[in-house]
Amino acid sequence: MEAADPVKPSAVTLQPVTTEPPVQTAPGSDPGQVQIRAMEEQDADFIARIMADAFEEKIVYAVGESRVEGTIQMIANGLRRSPHVWHRNYVASYEGNLAGLLAIKFHDSTLEDIGLCDTCSHVGCWGTCRITCMSLAFLNMGGPQAGECLVDTVGVSADYRGKGIGKALLDRADFEARERGCSTIFLWVKTTNRAVHLYERQGYAISQTVDGYCITQCAVGNGDWYKMEK
């Protein structure tokens, strides 16, 4: 009986393995305690109050403490009239409760429709002049150019501070800036603001120091600012 021929191993062709880079999801979009989404019309009042809280000292200086509530209503009404800005305003919720705000701007961002008549009805003629001066002062400090993203406002409700919401919002700003192809993201902050340390932990560095900026000094009572970027 003849021996069977040995079985020859078949050739194995190795195919190149391609690995796709992991798809990054927007911070705050995955399940968890902190959720972040673009604002909707019903968020206007909450956002206005967070903005007023974040800029309380400046608003009081500009229009007086008695007109703070009117300023909040003015901001809320302006947001309701401005759906074209909702996509760049983000609200954070913590365990289902509204807790924080992020507002960003790009070089082609349009402004909210504040409405002079509505402003006047809430803060009076003199208050309207002061609010206008405050807005112009911040615009004059320098907005984003092409390829840049400005973190305009980051604020967290007092009841939810210390829970990582501010960091999550800044992470979301980074994500949105990358999605728009921005190479630089920056913000303006008072030199005495404790949030400077939070921004440094997030990778921001002071790129410019403005001492005695007379326009903002007159408008909001402070002329010393850091420009921080990364």
Side-chain angles (χ1 to χ4, degrees):
M1 183 174 180
E2 295 183 358
D5 292 334
V7 178
K8 296 180 179 180
S10 59
V12 177
T13 303
L14 295 177
Q15 299 295 329
V17 178
T18 58
T19 57
E20 294 292 333
V23 177
Q24 288 189 324
T25 58
S29 61
D30 292 329
Q33 288 180 310
V34 179
Q35 295 287 298
I36 301 173
R37 59 170 174 79
M39 75 160 286
E40 300 170 355
E41 183 175 5
Q42 65 267 23
D43 302 317
D45 288 318
F46 170 78
I47 291 175
R49 292 197 174 275
I50 292 292
M51 285 185 171
D53 183 59
F55 294 102
E56 181 180 11
E57 182 180 318
K58 304 173 185 65
I59 292 172
V60 170
Y61 182 90
V63 301
E65 192 167 354
S66 64
R67 293 188 175 96
V68 171
E69 191 63 31
T71 302
I72 293 171
Q73 294 304 313
M74 180 258 316
I75 295 171
N77 290 344
L79 286 169
R80 292 189 188 94
R81 288 194 300 269
S82 307
H84 57 279
V85 307
W86 295 353
H87 70 283
R88 59 178 181 80
N89 288 273
Y90 299 87
V91 292
S93 60
Y94 185 84
E95 295 182 343
N97 299 308
L98 292 177
L101 162 71
L102 166 71
I104 56 178
K105 289 181 179 177
F106 302 97
H107 76 282
D108 55 354
S109 295
T110 53
L111 299 177
E112 296 87 345
D113 179 12
I114 297 300
L116 289 178
C117 292
D118 185 61
T119 302
C120 192
S121 69
H122 285 98
V123 298
C125 293
W126 176 244
T128 299
C129 292
R130 297 286 293 176
I131 289 287
T132 302
C133 289
M134 183 171 68
S135 300
L136 292 174
F138 285 127
L139 287 173
N140 197 59
M141 289 178 69
Q145 303 299 311
E148 294 182 337
C149 172
L150 166 65
V151 178
D152 196 37
T153 307
V154 177
V156 178
S157 177
D159 293 336
Y160 295 97
R161 290 170 189 165
K163 300 182 182 299
I165 298 170
K167 180 183 184 306
L169 289 167
L170 289 170
D171 288 342
R172 183 60 174 261
D174 290 348
F175 177 87
E176 298 297 335
R178 288 194 302 269
E179 287 292 291
R180 284 286 300 261
C182 294
S183 58
T184 301
I185 183 167
F186 72 97
L187 54 85
W188 290 97
V189 61
K190 286 173 56 177
T191 56
T192 55
N193 194 324
R194 290 178 298 175
V196 168
H197 303 298
L198 168 63
Y199 301 141
E200 288 175 333
R201 290 195 297 272
Q202 285 291 112
Y204 288 84
I206 298 170
S207 61
Q208 182 181 348
T209 301
V210 178
D211 296 321
Y213 195 53
C214 63
I215 297 178
T216 57
Q217 181 68 54
C218 294
V220 298
N222 182 75
D224 301 328
W225 303 85
Y226 288 141
K227 181 179 182 181
M228 304 185 70
E229 63 180 62
K230 64 176 180 176

